[in-house]
Amino acid sequence: MATFFRTLLGFLYLTDLYVSILGLGIGINYGQIANNLPSPTRVSYLLQTLNISRVKLYDADPNVLRAFSNSNVGFIIGLGNDDLLTMNDPVKAQTWIQQHVQPYLSQTKITCITVGNEVLSGNDTQLMSYLLPAMKTVNEAIINLGLSKQLYVTTAHSLIILGNSFPPSSGTFRQDLAQYIDPILSFHSEFNSPFLINAYPYFAYKDNPGEVSLEYVLFQPNLGMTDPGTNLNYDNMLYAQIDAVYSAIKAMGHDGIQVKISETGWPSKGDPNEAGASPENAGIYNGNLLQRIEQQQGTPANPTVPIDIYVFALFNENLKPGPASERNYGLYYPDGTPVYNIGVCGVLPQLNISGSKKNDFCVVTFFLLSLVLLIRA
């Protein structure tokens, strides 16, 4: 009996640990490029059992926003790249907010609108020219509607916009993108909005598995890398990438802009030529990342600013184009089964519980089963 209690207490301690990690405000990307995902109502229940309080969408899906009404979940919603030209029109921008944002604000917490995603990573210079005007127009509409204290406007970038990222203290933006990035940074400075980056150490490892240390990209024990410019030691690539962006911002003459990670993750499966894509590595990456968040770590160059991260992604998305890895970043399969174990437990209720086995990986089930065993003992 004493052994059982010790086991139960140990389990509950570990559970509390992970609940506290998620309670710190880690975000999750909720992509929906799939034809087999659970309904938003069921997803809402899952995320609340996971104690996740921040969600990032790539659109403003009304079904999702309604499903999360009266919850404690804060949303980033998005305007797609195809919407940029339309959002240059002040009337259309204000109408979009009135139709897609305002109706839900009384019951669903919306904190941010991303205007476009990785626009500066492509070759479409016309699309790039639409980006900042669209951001400004959407922001002006928010101000005109009296919503500026609730919402801020930003956009997300990939690390391709960096011309140099090593060492971190020498980070710079690409010269050919300076004409777009510099005024965007001025926008962030004026309205105190963050600079969003989609950062994936996995890509660096996949492209050069013989040269990039797996331990370094997975937050595992390693000698790390010392920046010769600052003498700061980096024991993982993600922190080096974040500080390289801070350096690039400073090199362009701006300061005081916070860098947030709008996407990071690791695929659990990939094509034969996608080195490192496995459930083991994905579990290690995201599990160690959660521990860093629990510790409220900052980066070596910004130790007092805790990392702010949205993990990619909640579910595997079976309709995403590209290599196999693109369809396998999820923490969960669409049926609610964890793809791998990082200690995070949640419940995805079945549509017909009486007709099928419930996917329940939560503490409640374990605790109730424990009580039954105790009674029988």
Side-chain angles (χ1 to χ4, degrees):
M1 183 68 69
T3 301
F4 174 80
F5 272 114
R6 284 196 296 269
T7 303
L8 178 59
L9 288 173
F11 180 87
L12 292 177
Y13 170 78
L14 290 174
T15 300
D16 287 340
L17 172 63
Y18 282 104
V19 167
S20 69
I21 289 173
L22 294 174
L24 287 173
I26 186 173
I28 192 82
N29 282 274
Y30 178 10
Q32 299 183 78
I33 306 178
N35 61 7
N36 59 354
L37 296 181
S39 69
T41 300
R42 298 170 69 210
V43 174
S44 172
Y45 189 83
L46 170 65
L47 292 185
Q48 289 181 69
T49 63
L50 287 170
N51 201 26
I52 288 178
S53 60
R54 299 193 301 160
V55 174
K56 179 170 165 281
L57 299 177
Y58 293 87
D59 54 22
D61 188 337
N63 296 316
V64 174
L65 297 177
R66 279 194 293 265
F68 281 82
S69 63
N70 300 313
S71 72
N72 194 37
V73 177
F75 277 89
I76 292 177
I77 60 174
L79 282 157
N81 294 352
D82 293 340
D83 297 317
L84 295 187
L85 178 58
T86 301
M87 289 302 107
N88 275 250
D89 184 323
V91 174
K92 292 179 179 178
Q94 184 158 315
T95 299
W96 187 87
I97 294 172
Q98 290 172 322
Q99 293 178 349
H100 295 88
V101 181
Q102 277 192 310
Y104 309 101
L105 282 177
S106 63
Q107 294 184 308
T108 302
K109 184 179 179 183
I110 302 172
T111 61
C112 170
I113 299 174
T114 56
V115 179
N117 185 55
E118 299 187 351
V119 174
L120 302 183
S121 300
N123 299 313
D124 190 340
T125 55
Q126 186 173 45
L127 187 65
M128 294 179 189
S129 70
Y130 295 153
L131 178 57
L132 181 59
M135 293 172 66
K136 287 182 174 180
T137 304
V138 171
N139 190 64
E140 288 168 2
I142 288 172
I143 293 172
N144 291 339
L145 293 170
L147 303 175
S148 59
K149 292 184 178 179
Q150 297 173 255
L151 296 162
Y152 64 85
V153 173
T154 185
T155 188
H157 309 276
S158 81
L159 286 173
I160 293 176
I161 66 173
L162 289 179
N164 184 62
S165 61
F166 183 84
S169 62
S170 298
T172 56
F173 292 117
R174 284 167 39 189
Q175 284 301 310
D176 62 312
L177 296 178
Q179 60 179 312
Y180 307 108
I181 297 176
D182 187 39
I184 287 175
L185 292 174
S186 296
F187 173 87
H188 289 311
S189 293
E190 181 178 357
F191 295 102
N192 196 30
S193 54
F195 191 83
L196 302 188
I197 282 287
N198 300 335
Y200 290 89
Y202 164 71
F203 293 151
Y205 179 78
K206 179 196 70 171
D207 293 340
N208 295 286
E211 298 179 12
V212 177
S213 164
L214 185 61
E215 291 76 17
Y216 182 60
V217 293
L218 292 180
F219 303 96
Q220 292 181 308
N222 66 95
L223 294 177
M225 177 275 297
T226 299
D227 186 323
T230 60
N231 207 35
L232 294 172
N233 184 262
Y234 289 82
D235 67 356
N236 71 85
M237 181 175 286
L238 182 64
Y239 287 9
Q241 292 174 333
I242 295 172
D243 279 349
V245 175
Y246 272 116
S247 295
I249 291 172
K250 188 174 182 179
M252 198 161 270
H254 298 270
D255 204 358
I257 299 172
Q258 184 179 2
V259 175
K260 296 186 177 183
I261 303 302
S262 42
E263 291 181 17
T264 192
W266 196 284
S268 60
K269 184 179 180 181
D271 291 322
N273 64 341
E274 293 188 289
S278 71
E280 293 78 16
N281 288 341
I284 292 170
Y285 182 84
N286 284 318
N288 286 339
L289 179 61
L290 288 180
Q291 291 182 25
R292 301 281 180 136
I293 294 170
E294 181 206 10
Q295 297 164 12
Q296 299 188 27
Q297 285 189 354
T299 63
N302 296 275
T304 62
V305 181
I307 53 175
D308 191 309
I309 289 175
Y310 283 79
V311 172
F312 188 88
L314 181 57
F315 294 110
N316 283 345
E317 298 173 72
N318 67 338
L319 297 183
K320 290 197 73 173
S325 61
E326 287 295 315
R327 295 177 287 282
N328 289 280
Y329 274 92
L331 298 180
Y332 285 86
Y333 293 110
D335 67 356
T337 305
V339 178
Y340 43 83
N341 180 26
I342 55 173
V344 175
C345 104
V347 182
L348 182 66
Q350 291 287 346
L351 291 175
N352 180 8
I353 297 176
S354 62
S356 59
K357 184 178 179 180
K358 189 175 182 180
N359 294 306
D360 193 339
F361 299 93
C362 75
V363 178
V364 175
T365 298
F366 181 90
F367 187 65
L368 290 176
L369 178 60
S370 302
L371 288 178
V372 172
L373 291 173
L374 275 174
I375 292 171
R376 289 182 177 180

